[in-house]
PDB file of all heavy atoms in Angstrom:
ATOM      1  N   THR A 146     -47.569  21.576  39.583  1.00  0.00           N
ATOM      2  CA  THR A 146     -47.613  20.661  40.715  1.00  0.00           C
ATOM      3  C   THR A 146     -46.279  19.947  40.844  1.00  0.00           C
ATOM      4  O   THR A 146     -46.157  18.959  41.543  1.00  0.00           O
ATOM      5  CB  THR A 146     -48.709  19.603  40.523  1.00  0.00           C
ATOM      6  OG1 THR A 146     -48.492  19.004  39.251  1.00  0.00           O
ATOM      7  CG2 THR A 146     -50.080  20.217  40.569  1.00  0.00           C
ATOM      8  N   GLY A 147     -45.284  20.488  40.118  1.00  0.00           N
ATOM      9  CA  GLY A 147     -44.030  19.760  39.950  1.00  0.00           C
ATOM     10  C   GLY A 147     -43.291  19.440  41.236  1.00  0.00           C
ATOM     11  O   GLY A 147     -43.129  20.268  42.100  1.00  0.00           O
ATOM     12  N   ILE A 148     -42.839  18.216  41.326  1.00  0.00           N
ATOM     13  CA  ILE A 148     -41.913  17.850  42.388  1.00  0.00           C
ATOM     14  C   ILE A 148     -40.687  17.289  41.681  1.00  0.00           C
ATOM     15  O   ILE A 148     -40.706  17.087  40.466  1.00  0.00           O
ATOM     16  CB  ILE A 148     -42.503  16.795  43.363  1.00  0.00           C
ATOM     17  CG1 ILE A 148     -43.703  16.097  42.712  1.00  0.00           C
ATOM     18  CG2 ILE A 148     -42.868  17.393  44.701  1.00  0.00           C
ATOM     19  CD1 ILE A 148     -44.260  14.971  43.514  1.00  0.00           C
ATOM     20  N   GLY A 149     -39.648  17.060  42.433  1.00  0.00           N
ATOM     21  CA  GLY A 149     -38.462  16.485  41.824  1.00  0.00           C
ATOM     22  C   GLY A 149     -37.566  17.513  41.169  1.00  0.00           C
ATOM     23  O   GLY A 149     -36.850  17.223  40.224  1.00  0.00           O
ATOM     24  N   PHE A 150     -37.625  18.759  41.659  1.00  0.00           N
ATOM     25  CA  PHE A 150     -36.675  19.757  41.178  1.00  0.00           C
ATOM     26  C   PHE A 150     -35.307  19.473  41.790  1.00  0.00           C
ATOM     27  O   PHE A 150     -35.217  18.937  42.892  1.00  0.00           O
ATOM     28  CB  PHE A 150     -37.111  21.155  41.614  1.00  0.00           C
ATOM     29  CG  PHE A 150     -38.240  21.709  40.812  1.00  0.00           C
ATOM     30  CD1 PHE A 150     -39.489  21.888  41.382  1.00  0.00           C
ATOM     31  CD2 PHE A 150     -38.056  22.050  39.479  1.00  0.00           C
ATOM     32  CE1 PHE A 150     -40.536  22.399  40.637  1.00  0.00           C
ATOM     33  CE2 PHE A 150     -39.102  22.576  38.739  1.00  0.00           C
ATOM     34  CZ  PHE A 150     -40.341  22.743  39.316  1.00  0.00           C
ATOM     35  N   SER A 151     -34.248  19.894  41.096  1.00  0.00           N
ATOM     36  CA  SER A 151     -32.913  19.732  41.667  1.00  0.00           C
ATOM     37  C   SER A 151     -32.671  20.859  42.674  1.00  0.00           C
ATOM     38  O   SER A 151     -33.368  21.872  42.675  1.00  0.00           O
ATOM     39  CB  SER A 151     -31.866  19.790  40.566  1.00  0.00           C
ATOM     40  OG  SER A 151     -31.748  21.115  40.106  1.00  0.00           O
ATOM     41  N   THR A 152     -31.646  20.651  43.525  1.00  0.00           N
ATOM     42  CA  THR A 152     -31.322  21.667  44.534  1.00  0.00           C
ATOM     43  C   THR A 152     -31.071  23.024  43.906  1.00  0.00           C
ATOM     44  O   THR A 152     -31.592  24.042  44.363  1.00  0.00           O
ATOM     45  CB  THR A 152     -30.057  21.230  45.306  1.00  0.00           C
ATOM     46  OG1 THR A 152     -30.344  19.986  45.928  1.00  0.00           O
ATOM     47  CG2 THR A 152     -29.668  22.240  46.370  1.00  0.00           C
ATOM     48  N   SER A 153     -30.296  23.036  42.812  1.00  0.00           N
ATOM     49  CA  SER A 153     -29.966  24.345  42.230  1.00  0.00           C
ATOM     50  C   SER A 153     -31.203  24.997  41.612  1.00  0.00           C
ATOM     51  O   SER A 153     -31.346  26.215  41.656  1.00  0.00           O
ATOM     52  CB  SER A 153     -28.843  24.215  41.209  1.00  0.00           C
ATOM     53  OG  SER A 153     -29.235  23.382  40.167  1.00  0.00           O
ATOM     54  N   GLU A 154     -32.110  24.198  41.058  1.00  0.00           N
ATOM     55  CA  GLU A 154     -33.343  24.778  40.501  1.00  0.00           C
ATOM     56  C   GLU A 154     -34.183  25.423  41.602  1.00  0.00           C
ATOM     57  O   GLU A 154     -34.740  26.504  41.427  1.00  0.00           O
ATOM     58  CB  GLU A 154     -34.177  23.698  39.796  1.00  0.00           C
ATOM     59  CG  GLU A 154     -33.714  23.411  38.388  1.00  0.00           C
ATOM     60  CD  GLU A 154     -34.354  22.156  37.811  1.00  0.00           C
ATOM     61  OE1 GLU A 154     -34.679  21.228  38.591  1.00  0.00           O
ATOM     62  OE2 GLU A 154     -34.534  22.105  36.589  1.00  0.00           O
ATOM     63  N   ILE A 155     -34.256  24.728  42.749  1.00  0.00           N
ATOM     64  CA  ILE A 155     -35.027  25.267  43.875  1.00  0.00           C
ATOM     65  C   ILE A 155     -34.399  26.555  44.377  1.00  0.00           C
ATOM     66  O   ILE A 155     -35.082  27.556  44.602  1.00  0.00           O
ATOM     67  CB  ILE A 155     -35.127  24.225  45.023  1.00  0.00           C
ATOM     68  CG1 ILE A 155     -35.973  23.047  44.569  1.00  0.00           C
ATOM     69  CG2 ILE A 155     -35.715  24.852  46.280  1.00  0.00           C
ATOM     70  CD1 ILE A 155     -35.886  21.841  45.459  1.00  0.00           C
ATOM     71  N   LEU A 156     -33.059  26.548  44.509  1.00  0.00           N
ATOM     72  CA  LEU A 156     -32.385  27.747  45.003  1.00  0.00           C
ATOM     73  C   LEU A 156     -32.513  28.912  44.023  1.00  0.00           C
ATOM     74  O   LEU A 156     -32.718  30.052  44.428  1.00  0.00           O
ATOM     75  CB  LEU A 156     -30.906  27.454  45.298  1.00  0.00           C
ATOM     76  CG  LEU A 156     -30.660  26.520  46.492  1.00  0.00           C
ATOM     77  CD1 LEU A 156     -29.167  26.269  46.674  1.00  0.00           C
ATOM     78  CD2 LEU A 156     -31.265  27.068  47.776  1.00  0.00           C
ATOM     79  N   MET A 157     -32.431  28.619  42.732  1.00  0.00           N
ATOM     80  CA  MET A 157     -32.582  29.684  41.731  1.00  0.00           C
ATOM     81  C   MET A 157     -33.986  30.299  41.827  1.00  0.00           C
ATOM     82  O   MET A 157     -34.157  31.508  41.761  1.00  0.00           O
ATOM     83  CB  MET A 157     -32.372  29.146  40.302  1.00  0.00           C
ATOM     84  CG  MET A 157     -30.929  28.938  39.891  1.00  0.00           C
ATOM     85  SD  MET A 157     -29.809  30.262  40.408  1.00  0.00           S
ATOM     86  CE  MET A 157     -30.401  31.614  39.396  1.00  0.00           C
ATOM     87  N   LYS A 158     -34.966  29.419  41.983  1.00  0.00           N
ATOM     88  CA  LYS A 158     -36.345  29.878  42.113  1.00  0.00           C
ATOM     89  C   LYS A 158     -36.493  30.740  43.377  1.00  0.00           C
ATOM     90  O   LYS A 158     -37.166  31.774  43.361  1.00  0.00           O
ATOM     91  CB  LYS A 158     -37.264  28.647  42.178  1.00  0.00           C
ATOM     92  CG  LYS A 158     -38.741  28.948  42.181  1.00  0.00           C
ATOM     93  CD  LYS A 158     -39.234  29.340  40.806  1.00  0.00           C
ATOM     94  CE  LYS A 158     -40.629  29.961  40.901  1.00  0.00           C
ATOM     95  NZ  LYS A 158     -40.935  30.879  39.810  1.00  0.00           N
ATOM     96  N   TYR A 159     -35.836  30.298  44.439  1.00  0.00           N
ATOM     97  CA  TYR A 159     -35.876  31.012  45.718  1.00  0.00           C
ATOM     98  C   TYR A 159     -35.315  32.422  45.548  1.00  0.00           C
ATOM     99  O   TYR A 159     -35.918  33.414  45.961  1.00  0.00           O
ATOM    100  CB  TYR A 159     -35.044  30.226  46.735  1.00  0.00           C
ATOM    101  CG  TYR A 159     -35.049  30.797  48.136  1.00  0.00           C
ATOM    102  CD1 TYR A 159     -36.221  30.853  48.875  1.00  0.00           C
ATOM    103  CD2 TYR A 159     -33.875  31.251  48.728  1.00  0.00           C
ATOM    104  CE1 TYR A 159     -36.224  31.358  50.168  1.00  0.00           C
ATOM    105  CE2 TYR A 159     -33.871  31.758  50.015  1.00  0.00           C
ATOM    106  CZ  TYR A 159     -35.051  31.802  50.735  1.00  0.00           C
ATOM    107  OH  TYR A 159     -35.056  32.313  52.008  1.00  0.00           O
ATOM    108  N   ILE A 160     -34.152  32.504  44.897  1.00  0.00           N
ATOM    109  CA  ILE A 160     -33.514  33.807  44.672  1.00  0.00           C
ATOM    110  C   ILE A 160     -34.412  34.692  43.815  1.00  0.00           C
ATOM    111  O   ILE A 160     -34.609  35.871  44.099  1.00  0.00           O
ATOM    112  CB  ILE A 160     -32.140  33.610  43.984  1.00  0.00           C
ATOM    113  CG1 ILE A 160     -31.180  32.918  44.951  1.00  0.00           C
ATOM    114  CG2 ILE A 160     -31.567  34.941  43.518  1.00  0.00           C
ATOM    115  CD1 ILE A 160     -29.881  32.488  44.333  1.00  0.00           C
ATOM    116  N   GLU A 161     -34.985  34.068  42.780  1.00  0.00           N
ATOM    117  CA  GLU A 161     -35.840  34.813  41.847  1.00  0.00           C
ATOM    118  C   GLU A 161     -37.060  35.403  42.567  1.00  0.00           C
ATOM    119  O   GLU A 161     -37.363  36.583  42.424  1.00  0.00           O
ATOM    120  CB  GLU A 161     -36.301  33.822  40.775  1.00  0.00           C
ATOM    121  CG  GLU A 161     -36.933  34.407  39.553  1.00  0.00           C
ATOM    122  CD  GLU A 161     -37.503  33.274  38.699  1.00  0.00           C
ATOM    123  OE1 GLU A 161     -36.717  32.384  38.281  1.00  0.00           O
ATOM    124  OE2 GLU A 161     -38.716  33.248  38.509  1.00  0.00           O
ATOM    125  N   VAL A 162     -37.741  34.567  43.372  1.00  0.00           N
ATOM    126  CA  VAL A 162     -38.940  35.033  44.078  1.00  0.00           C
ATOM    127  C   VAL A 162     -38.571  36.133  45.069  1.00  0.00           C
ATOM    128  O   VAL A 162     -39.249  37.152  45.178  1.00  0.00           O
ATOM    129  CB  VAL A 162     -39.646  33.863  44.804  1.00  0.00           C
ATOM    130  CG1 VAL A 162     -40.780  34.375  45.693  1.00  0.00           C
ATOM    131  CG2 VAL A 162     -40.189  32.874  43.801  1.00  0.00           C
ATOM    132  N   MET A 163     -37.465  35.922  45.791  1.00  0.00           N
ATOM    133  CA  MET A 163     -37.069  36.895  46.793  1.00  0.00           C
ATOM    134  C   MET A 163     -36.684  38.224  46.136  1.00  0.00           C
ATOM    135  O   MET A 163     -37.082  39.298  46.604  1.00  0.00           O
ATOM    136  CB  MET A 163     -35.904  36.361  47.612  1.00  0.00           C
ATOM    137  CG  MET A 163     -35.925  37.035  48.917  1.00  0.00           C
ATOM    138  SD  MET A 163     -35.123  36.297  50.313  1.00  0.00           S
ATOM    139  CE  MET A 163     -33.994  35.139  49.865  1.00  0.00           C
ATOM    140  N   ALA A 164     -35.952  38.162  45.038  1.00  0.00           N
ATOM    141  CA  ALA A 164     -35.543  39.391  44.343  1.00  0.00           C
ATOM    142  C   ALA A 164     -36.770  40.137  43.821  1.00  0.00           C
ATOM    143  O   ALA A 164     -36.855  41.361  43.903  1.00  0.00           O
ATOM    144  CB  ALA A 164     -34.594  39.054  43.202  1.00  0.00           C
ATOM    145  N   LYS A 165     -37.735  39.363  43.310  1.00  0.00           N
ATOM    146  CA  LYS A 165     -38.949  39.967  42.767  1.00  0.00           C
ATOM    147  C   LYS A 165     -39.719  40.690  43.876  1.00  0.00           C
ATOM    148  O   LYS A 165     -40.119  41.841  43.735  1.00  0.00           O
ATOM    149  CB  LYS A 165     -39.824  38.876  42.144  1.00  0.00           C
ATOM    150  CG  LYS A 165     -40.834  39.437  41.183  1.00  0.00           C
ATOM    151  CD  LYS A 165     -41.979  38.495  40.873  1.00  0.00           C
ATOM    152  CE  LYS A 165     -41.559  37.075  40.570  1.00  0.00           C
ATOM    153  NZ  LYS A 165     -42.684  36.159  40.403  1.00  0.00           N
ATOM    154  N   CYS A 166     -39.922  39.991  45.004  1.00  0.00           N
ATOM    155  CA  CYS A 166     -40.668  40.592  46.114  1.00  0.00           C
ATOM    156  C   CYS A 166     -39.942  41.812  46.644  1.00  0.00           C
ATOM    157  O   CYS A 166     -40.554  42.835  46.938  1.00  0.00           O
ATOM    158  CB  CYS A 166     -40.856  39.590  47.248  1.00  0.00           C
ATOM    159  SG  CYS A 166     -41.965  38.267  46.837  1.00  0.00           S
ATOM    160  N   LYS A 167     -38.620  41.724  46.758  1.00  0.00           N
ATOM    161  CA  LYS A 167     -37.841  42.846  47.300  1.00  0.00           C
ATOM    162  C   LYS A 167     -38.021  44.072  46.414  1.00  0.00           C
ATOM    163  O   LYS A 167     -38.165  45.187  46.885  1.00  0.00           O
ATOM    164  CB  LYS A 167     -36.358  42.441  47.368  1.00  0.00           C
ATOM    165  CG  LYS A 167     -35.435  43.505  47.928  1.00  0.00           C
ATOM    166  CD  LYS A 167     -35.062  43.195  49.348  1.00  0.00           C
ATOM    167  CE  LYS A 167     -34.077  44.158  49.982  1.00  0.00           C
ATOM    168  NZ  LYS A 167     -34.204  45.546  49.700  1.00  0.00           N
ATOM    169  N   ARG A 168     -38.021  43.824  45.101  1.00  0.00           N
ATOM    170  CA  ARG A 168     -38.187  44.925  44.149  1.00  0.00           C
ATOM    171  C   ARG A 168     -39.561  45.582  44.347  1.00  0.00           C
ATOM    172  O   ARG A 168     -39.685  46.791  44.401  1.00  0.00           O
ATOM    173  CB  ARG A 168     -38.043  44.380  42.732  1.00  0.00           C
ATOM    174  CG  ARG A 168     -37.813  45.452  41.692  1.00  0.00           C
ATOM    175  CD  ARG A 168     -37.439  44.822  40.372  1.00  0.00           C
ATOM    176  NE  ARG A 168     -38.521  44.035  39.808  1.00  0.00           N
ATOM    177  CZ  ARG A 168     -38.392  42.790  39.351  1.00  0.00           C
ATOM    178  NH1 ARG A 168     -37.237  42.190  39.405  1.00  0.00           N
ATOM    179  NH2 ARG A 168     -39.421  42.152  38.839  1.00  0.00           N
ATOM    180  N   PHE A 169     -40.604  44.734  44.453  1.00  0.00           N
ATOM    181  CA  PHE A 169     -41.958  45.271  44.655  1.00  0.00           C
ATOM    182  C   PHE A 169     -42.050  46.073  45.944  1.00  0.00           C
ATOM    183  O   PHE A 169     -42.637  47.144  45.973  1.00  0.00           O
ATOM    184  CB  PHE A 169     -42.997  44.161  44.703  1.00  0.00           C
ATOM    185  CG  PHE A 169     -43.377  43.659  43.348  1.00  0.00           C
ATOM    186  CD1 PHE A 169     -43.323  42.306  43.056  1.00  0.00           C
ATOM    187  CD2 PHE A 169     -43.796  44.539  42.361  1.00  0.00           C
ATOM    188  CE1 PHE A 169     -43.672  41.833  41.802  1.00  0.00           C
ATOM    189  CE2 PHE A 169     -44.143  44.079  41.105  1.00  0.00           C
ATOM    190  CZ  PHE A 169     -44.081  42.716  40.820  1.00  0.00           C
ATOM    191  N   VAL A 170     -41.483  45.530  47.001  1.00  0.00           N
ATOM    192  CA  VAL A 170     -41.559  46.210  48.299  1.00  0.00           C
ATOM    193  C   VAL A 170     -40.842  47.558  48.215  1.00  0.00           C
ATOM    194  O   VAL A 170     -41.354  48.579  48.667  1.00  0.00           O
ATOM    195  CB  VAL A 170     -40.945  45.327  49.410  1.00  0.00           C
ATOM    196  CG1 VAL A 170     -40.765  46.113  50.698  1.00  0.00           C
ATOM    197  CG2 VAL A 170     -41.837  44.123  49.659  1.00  0.00           C
ATOM    198  N   ASP A 171     -39.662  47.561  47.583  1.00  0.00           N
ATOM    199  CA  ASP A 171     -38.920  48.818  47.444  1.00  0.00           C
ATOM    200  C   ASP A 171     -39.689  49.825  46.593  1.00  0.00           C
ATOM    201  O   ASP A 171     -39.787  50.990  46.929  1.00  0.00           O
ATOM    202  CB  ASP A 171     -37.539  48.566  46.809  1.00  0.00           C
ATOM    203  CG  ASP A 171     -36.598  47.890  47.797  1.00  0.00           C
ATOM    204  OD1 ASP A 171     -36.928  47.870  48.991  1.00  0.00           O
ATOM    205  OD2 ASP A 171     -35.551  47.377  47.356  1.00  0.00           O
ATOM    206  N   VAL A 172     -40.249  49.329  45.483  1.00  0.00           N
ATOM    207  CA  VAL A 172     -40.928  50.237  44.550  1.00  0.00           C
ATOM    208  C   VAL A 172     -42.295  50.670  45.090  1.00  0.00           C
ATOM    209  O   VAL A 172     -42.597  51.850  45.159  1.00  0.00           O
ATOM    210  CB  VAL A 172     -41.105  49.568  43.164  1.00  0.00           C
ATOM    211  CG1 VAL A 172     -41.984  50.424  42.280  1.00  0.00           C
ATOM    212  CG2 VAL A 172     -39.750  49.362  42.518  1.00  0.00           C
TER     213      VAL A 172
END
Side-chain angles (χ1 to χ4, degrees):
T146 53
I148 18 174
F150 283 111
S151 72
T152 300
S153 61
E154 278 168 330
I155 293 167
L156 291 179
M157 282 318 292
K158 186 76 194 154
Y159 183 64
I160 293 171
E161 193 188 301
V162 172
M163 205 158 19
K165 199 198 314 174
C166 291
K167 181 103 177 39
R168 196 170 65 229
F169 280 127
V170 169
D171 287 346
V172 172

